[in-house]
Amino acid sequence: MAADNNPWWAGAVVYQVYPRSYADGDGDGVGDLPGLIGRVPYLAALGVDAIWLTPFYPSPLNDGGYDVSDYMDVDPRLGTLGDFDRLIGVTRNHGIRVIVDLVPNHCSWDHPLFKKALAAAPGSHERELFLFRDGRGPDGAEPPNNWPSQFGGPAWTRVPDGQWYLHLFDASQPDWNWRDPRVAPMFEEILRFWLDRGIGGFRVDVAHGLFKDATLGDAADASLTNRPSAYYHRPEVYAVYRDWRLILDSYPADGFPGSRTAVGEVWADSAETIAPYLAPGGLPQVFNFELVKSRWSAPELRAAIDATHAFADGSRAPWVLGNHDVVRPVTRWGKDAARAAALLLLALPGSAYIYQGEELGLPEVEDIPAAARRDPTFRRTGGKVVGRDGCRVPMPWLAGGASFGFSRTDLGFTPAPPWLPQPPGWGAYSVAAQQGDPDSFLSLYRTALRLRRDHPVLGAGALRWLDGPEGVLAFVREPGFAFAANLASEPRPLPPHTEVLLASGPLVTDEAGALALPRDTAVWLAQ
Ligand code: TEU
């Protein structure tokens, strides 16, 4: 499909795997790479073009692996580099690419360079790799500035000799000092390490971080913000991505340049804040979180979709309904709405990301006992922010049995319980329970992905809004395709069509006997 000027990622459907919660191949209750390899045929049958793996690197797991202690290895609990290479081989055989997570804003306090910095004296070369400062107030007992941690509390932690170090996230995640000349080359080496192993690209964690205001002075606003600030969206960061782009484009796999992507996780307040990341020669892609932020309302969703047209189409800013950081769409919007949203996601022009379990309609697990919670936000806010564990509960593969098939059971011993508890009834959402049922979430995703591949317009045509009745979100993609969703409470007529290709739920007939869209239902139409 990919033409010279249209790399594979421009229209790709990418499936996000949270490896610890996907499939456990050795019975220790933690998902791993061998487990994932065993599920590649499932992903191929689902019909995705690529997978994005959240961190699988050695880590003390204070933030689900986003606290990396070695950027160029696999956590022994998840497998080996040999397993990673095997994953690349097996996915390639199915035409699936692998995108890996890169965490350049911070590492783990277990990283050898941070351990060295802690052992070294204030002002040392070793400490310069991070952001160590003296505190304020009498005896320096106050943090050096007013910056908040994203996970609650101050962004600074004091070490025994009295200095403080900066961490925009958990205390176990010290921020790198990107103004030190040793940091950029280190990350370029990491980039090449994984590119050389045949990956399709990177997802860049907190891509709006990295550089902080050089004076480390107080922020104008001490509350959490995604606006340009003393610590986010500093203009120095764009040069880093220009350098990375040159490296990505120097890997001309598949016979054309631009085949390796980097998709930035950029949380921002506006299109203007995001646009510079996508300037020529910058990041190939940044996530489009507008659908995550939007309520289930036709005018709001239309505005959310239009918001990105100001700076990028969906190929540069892939669409997302959910990920490992946000409440599951089924719980945010309701089950029927989440099914309709899936058809919206996959009908929009450009690339789309699906978070594992979305295809099963998994809800947020809201009643995880406090003692079982793992997200550092829960601890750092004293439980006020419940955190993100509820969307990270291990996948149900089978309708019953130990951990609903998450862990292999043919190992001759009883597998350990999953690292996060699965609720009773989880098996009803399992792949096994859904795959034979034409009305299941899984069947809806499979059919939509197949149609998306087969229907030429879904790969090309631009979006043109249809002004439908109140509560209807509808657009055409010329020639021959239309999408419509009804978010109003009363049934609404379908736009002109020759055939209903797919519906997210049963349609009804109006008084005149014509097909109509009930509430929270979407259709794909041939025109
Ligand atoms: O998330 C970055 C980030 O800013 C999130 O905290 C986000 O604001 C929040 O989750 C929205 O609900 C990335 C990763 O996706 C996340 O899992 C990590 O915890 C974080 O970076 C630190 O590495």
mmCIF file of all heavy atoms in Angstrom, residues 290-315:
data_model
loop_
_atom_site.group_PDB
_atom_site.id
_atom_site.type_symbol
_atom_site.label_atom_id
_atom_site.label_comp_id
_atom_site.label_asym_id
_atom_site.label_seq_id
_atom_site.Cartn_x
_atom_site.Cartn_y
_atom_site.Cartn_z
ATOM 1 N N GLU A 290 -7.449 14.551 21.293
ATOM 2 C CA GLU A 290 -8.726 15.287 21.344
ATOM 3 C C GLU A 290 -9.918 14.374 21.628
ATOM 4 O O GLU A 290 -10.860 14.766 22.324
ATOM 5 C CB GLU A 290 -8.953 16.062 20.042
ATOM 6 C CG GLU A 290 -7.915 17.147 19.772
ATOM 7 C CD GLU A 290 -7.815 18.168 20.891
ATOM 8 O OE1 GLU A 290 -8.870 18.560 21.416
ATOM 9 O OE2 GLU A 290 -6.684 18.549 21.254
ATOM 10 N N LEU A 291 -9.911 13.162 21.068
ATOM 11 C CA LEU A 291 -11.047 12.256 21.307
ATOM 12 C C LEU A 291 -11.042 11.730 22.742
ATOM 13 O O LEU A 291 -12.086 11.380 23.290
ATOM 14 C CB LEU A 291 -11.026 11.074 20.320
ATOM 15 C CG LEU A 291 -11.176 11.420 18.830
ATOM 16 C CD1 LEU A 291 -11.044 10.163 17.976
ATOM 17 C CD2 LEU A 291 -12.520 12.091 18.571
ATOM 18 N N VAL A 292 -9.863 11.657 23.337
ATOM 19 C CA VAL A 292 -9.774 11.237 24.741
ATOM 20 C C VAL A 292 -10.369 12.305 25.639
ATOM 21 O O VAL A 292 -11.035 12.013 26.624
ATOM 22 C CB VAL A 292 -8.292 10.985 25.122
ATOM 23 C CG1 VAL A 292 -8.163 10.731 26.618
ATOM 24 C CG2 VAL A 292 -7.714 9.821 24.333
ATOM 25 N N LYS A 293 -10.120 13.570 25.266
ATOM 26 C CA LYS A 293 -10.553 14.676 26.125
ATOM 27 C C LYS A 293 -12.038 15.012 25.940
ATOM 28 O O LYS A 293 -12.644 15.645 26.792
ATOM 29 C CB LYS A 293 -9.709 15.915 25.830
ATOM 30 C CG LYS A 293 -8.230 15.735 26.205
ATOM 31 C CD LYS A 293 -7.471 17.046 26.131
ATOM 32 C CE LYS A 293 -6.627 17.128 24.895
ATOM 33 N NZ LYS A 293 -5.840 18.342 24.742
ATOM 34 N N SER A 294 -12.602 14.611 24.792
ATOM 35 C CA SER A 294 -13.955 15.051 24.451
ATOM 36 C C SER A 294 -15.018 14.267 25.224
ATOM 37 O O SER A 294 -14.866 13.084 25.502
ATOM 38 C CB SER A 294 -14.185 14.870 22.949
ATOM 39 O OG SER A 294 -15.493 15.266 22.614
ATOM 40 N N ARG A 295 -16.111 14.958 25.525
ATOM 41 C CA ARG A 295 -17.281 14.253 26.026
ATOM 42 C C ARG A 295 -18.007 13.599 24.861
ATOM 43 O O ARG A 295 -17.739 13.908 23.701
ATOM 44 C CB ARG A 295 -18.207 15.227 26.749
ATOM 45 C CG ARG A 295 -17.706 15.553 28.149
ATOM 46 C CD ARG A 295 -18.627 16.534 28.816
ATOM 47 N NE ARG A 295 -18.746 17.748 27.992
ATOM 48 C CZ ARG A 295 -19.450 18.818 28.337
ATOM 49 N NH1 ARG A 295 -20.112 18.823 29.463
ATOM 50 N NH2 ARG A 295 -19.495 19.875 27.540
ATOM 51 N N TRP A 296 -18.960 12.719 25.172
ATOM 52 C CA TRP A 296 -19.735 12.035 24.125
ATOM 53 C C TRP A 296 -20.868 12.954 23.691
ATOM 54 O O TRP A 296 -22.005 12.849 24.146
ATOM 55 C CB TRP A 296 -20.240 10.685 24.650
ATOM 56 C CG TRP A 296 -20.919 9.859 23.602
ATOM 57 C CD1 TRP A 296 -22.234 9.500 23.567
ATOM 58 C CD2 TRP A 296 -20.324 9.307 22.439
ATOM 59 N NE1 TRP A 296 -22.488 8.760 22.446
ATOM 60 C CE2 TRP A 296 -21.338 8.621 21.735
ATOM 61 C CE3 TRP A 296 -19.024 9.319 21.899
ATOM 62 C CZ2 TRP A 296 -21.107 7.956 20.528
ATOM 63 C CZ3 TRP A 296 -18.792 8.665 20.707
ATOM 64 C CH2 TRP A 296 -19.819 7.994 20.036
ATOM 65 N N SER A 297 -20.538 13.887 22.819
ATOM 66 C CA SER A 297 -21.495 14.879 22.343
ATOM 67 C C SER A 297 -21.136 15.190 20.900
ATOM 68 O O SER A 297 -19.947 15.373 20.582
ATOM 69 C CB SER A 297 -21.408 16.131 23.224
ATOM 70 O OG SER A 297 -21.245 17.305 22.448
ATOM 71 N N ALA A 298 -22.150 15.236 20.017
ATOM 72 C CA ALA A 298 -21.854 15.400 18.590
ATOM 73 C C ALA A 298 -21.104 16.702 18.302
ATOM 74 O O ALA A 298 -20.067 16.670 17.630
ATOM 75 C CB ALA A 298 -23.144 15.295 17.774
ATOM 76 N N PRO A 299 -21.577 17.865 18.791
ATOM 77 C CA PRO A 299 -20.813 19.084 18.489
ATOM 78 C C PRO A 299 -19.422 19.080 19.101
ATOM 79 O O PRO A 299 -18.464 19.555 18.483
ATOM 80 C CB PRO A 299 -21.667 20.215 19.076
ATOM 81 C CG PRO A 299 -22.771 19.585 19.838
ATOM 82 C CD PRO A 299 -22.852 18.140 19.465
ATOM 83 N N GLU A 300 -19.280 18.486 20.295
ATOM 84 C CA GLU A 300 -17.954 18.476 20.925
ATOM 85 C C GLU A 300 -16.984 17.577 20.154
ATOM 86 O O GLU A 300 -15.816 17.918 19.956
ATOM 87 C CB GLU A 300 -18.066 17.993 22.365
ATOM 88 C CG GLU A 300 -17.410 18.957 23.340
ATOM 89 C CD GLU A 300 -17.468 18.484 24.770
ATOM 90 O OE1 GLU A 300 -16.571 17.744 25.190
ATOM 91 O OE2 GLU A 300 -18.428 18.866 25.461
ATOM 92 N N LEU A 301 -17.487 16.444 19.698
ATOM 93 C CA LEU A 301 -16.609 15.543 18.951
ATOM 94 C C LEU A 301 -16.221 16.158 17.609
ATOM 95 O O LEU A 301 -15.076 16.057 17.176
ATOM 96 C CB LEU A 301 -17.292 14.185 18.738
ATOM 97 C CG LEU A 301 -17.340 13.294 19.983
ATOM 98 C CD1 LEU A 301 -18.335 12.163 19.796
ATOM 99 C CD2 LEU A 301 -15.943 12.730 20.296
ATOM 100 N N ARG A 302 -17.188 16.830 16.983
ATOM 101 C CA ARG A 302 -16.880 17.466 15.702
ATOM 102 C C ARG A 302 -15.800 18.542 15.896
ATOM 103 O O ARG A 302 -14.832 18.614 15.136
ATOM 104 C CB ARG A 302 -18.142 18.077 15.090
ATOM 105 C CG ARG A 302 -17.877 18.759 13.780
ATOM 106 C CD ARG A 302 -19.180 19.043 13.049
ATOM 107 N NE ARG A 302 -18.950 19.960 11.931
ATOM 108 C CZ ARG A 302 -19.846 20.254 11.012
ATOM 109 N NH1 ARG A 302 -21.049 19.700 11.063
ATOM 110 N NH2 ARG A 302 -19.555 21.083 10.036
ATOM 111 N N ALA A 303 -15.931 19.313 16.963
ATOM 112 C CA ALA A 303 -14.921 20.342 17.248
ATOM 113 C C ALA A 303 -13.577 19.688 17.573
ATOM 114 O O ALA A 303 -12.517 20.178 17.156
ATOM 115 C CB ALA A 303 -15.380 21.220 18.406
ATOM 116 N N ALA A 304 -13.624 18.570 18.289
ATOM 117 C CA ALA A 304 -12.383 17.880 18.654
ATOM 118 C C ALA A 304 -11.659 17.387 17.400
ATOM 119 O O ALA A 304 -10.432 17.466 17.296
ATOM 120 C CB ALA A 304 -12.692 16.711 19.583
ATOM 121 N N ILE A 305 -12.429 16.887 16.449
ATOM 122 C CA ILE A 305 -11.835 16.377 15.209
ATOM 123 C C ILE A 305 -11.305 17.538 14.378
ATOM 124 O O ILE A 305 -10.192 17.490 13.842
ATOM 125 C CB ILE A 305 -12.871 15.522 14.453
ATOM 126 C CG1 ILE A 305 -13.127 14.222 15.238
ATOM 127 C CG2 ILE A 305 -12.407 15.221 13.031
ATOM 128 C CD1 ILE A 305 -14.397 13.498 14.851
ATOM 129 N N ASP A 306 -12.075 18.610 14.323
ATOM 130 C CA ASP A 306 -11.640 19.785 13.553
ATOM 131 C C ASP A 306 -10.412 20.456 14.170
ATOM 132 O O ASP A 306 -9.624 21.070 13.454
ATOM 133 C CB ASP A 306 -12.773 20.811 13.466
ATOM 134 C CG ASP A 306 -13.766 20.457 12.365
ATOM 135 O OD1 ASP A 306 -13.410 19.632 11.502
ATOM 136 O OD2 ASP A 306 -14.891 20.990 12.390
ATOM 137 N N ALA A 307 -10.258 20.341 15.472
ATOM 138 C CA ALA A 307 -9.171 21.063 16.154
ATOM 139 C C ALA A 307 -7.817 20.730 15.560
ATOM 140 O O ALA A 307 -6.941 21.583 15.482
ATOM 141 C CB ALA A 307 -9.183 20.743 17.638
ATOM 142 N N THR A 308 -7.633 19.482 15.140
ATOM 143 C CA THR A 308 -6.306 19.119 14.645
ATOM 144 C C THR A 308 -6.110 19.478 13.189
ATOM 145 O O THR A 308 -4.975 19.567 12.740
ATOM 146 C CB THR A 308 -6.051 17.617 14.789
ATOM 147 O OG1 THR A 308 -7.147 16.957 14.183
ATOM 148 C CG2 THR A 308 -5.922 17.232 16.226
ATOM 149 N N HIS A 309 -7.211 19.691 12.461
ATOM 150 C CA HIS A 309 -7.027 20.030 11.051
ATOM 151 C C HIS A 309 -6.238 21.313 10.885
ATOM 152 O O HIS A 309 -5.655 21.562 9.844
ATOM 153 C CB HIS A 309 -8.379 20.136 10.341
ATOM 154 C CG HIS A 309 -8.992 18.798 10.124
ATOM 155 N ND1 HIS A 309 -10.261 18.608 9.642
ATOM 156 C CD2 HIS A 309 -8.504 17.563 10.340
ATOM 157 C CE1 HIS A 309 -10.522 17.325 9.577
ATOM 158 N NE2 HIS A 309 -9.474 16.673 9.998
ATOM 159 N N ALA A 310 -6.208 22.122 11.943
ATOM 160 C CA ALA A 310 -5.450 23.366 11.888
ATOM 161 C C ALA A 310 -3.964 23.106 11.665
ATOM 162 O O ALA A 310 -3.267 23.938 11.120
ATOM 163 C CB ALA A 310 -5.653 24.149 13.181
ATOM 164 N N PHE A 311 -3.490 21.961 12.095
ATOM 165 C CA PHE A 311 -2.036 21.755 11.980
ATOM 166 C C PHE A 311 -1.651 20.409 11.395
ATOM 167 O O PHE A 311 -0.520 20.221 10.973
ATOM 168 C CB PHE A 311 -1.362 21.934 13.347
ATOM 169 C CG PHE A 311 -1.754 20.887 14.352
ATOM 170 C CD1 PHE A 311 -0.981 19.766 14.520
ATOM 171 C CD2 PHE A 311 -2.888 21.045 15.113
ATOM 172 C CE1 PHE A 311 -1.330 18.801 15.436
ATOM 173 C CE2 PHE A 311 -3.250 20.085 16.037
ATOM 174 C CZ PHE A 311 -2.475 18.967 16.197
ATOM 175 N N ALA A 312 -2.550 19.454 11.362
ATOM 176 C CA ALA A 312 -2.141 18.135 10.880
ATOM 177 C C ALA A 312 -3.355 17.301 10.559
ATOM 178 O O ALA A 312 -4.421 17.500 11.126
ATOM 179 C CB ALA A 312 -1.329 17.426 11.951
ATOM 180 N N ASP A 313 -3.176 16.329 9.682
ATOM 181 C CA ASP A 313 -4.244 15.358 9.479
ATOM 182 C C ASP A 313 -3.945 14.134 10.348
ATOM 183 O O ASP A 313 -2.953 14.099 11.080
ATOM 184 C CB ASP A 313 -4.379 14.997 8.001
ATOM 185 C CG ASP A 313 -3.105 14.368 7.463
ATOM 186 O OD1 ASP A 313 -2.238 13.964 8.273
ATOM 187 O OD2 ASP A 313 -2.971 14.279 6.234
ATOM 188 N N GLY A 314 -4.833 13.173 10.268
ATOM 189 C CA GLY A 314 -4.680 12.011 11.140
ATOM 190 C C GLY A 314 -3.448 11.171 10.872
ATOM 191 O O GLY A 314 -3.067 10.350 11.694
ATOM 192 N N SER A 315 -2.807 11.370 9.731
ATOM 193 C CA SER A 315 -1.594 10.589 9.491
ATOM 194 C C SER A 315 -0.425 11.140 10.304
ATOM 195 O O SER A 315 0.419 10.387 10.758
ATOM 196 C CB SER A 315 -1.245 10.551 8.006
ATOM 197 O OG SER A 315 -0.966 11.850 7.543
#
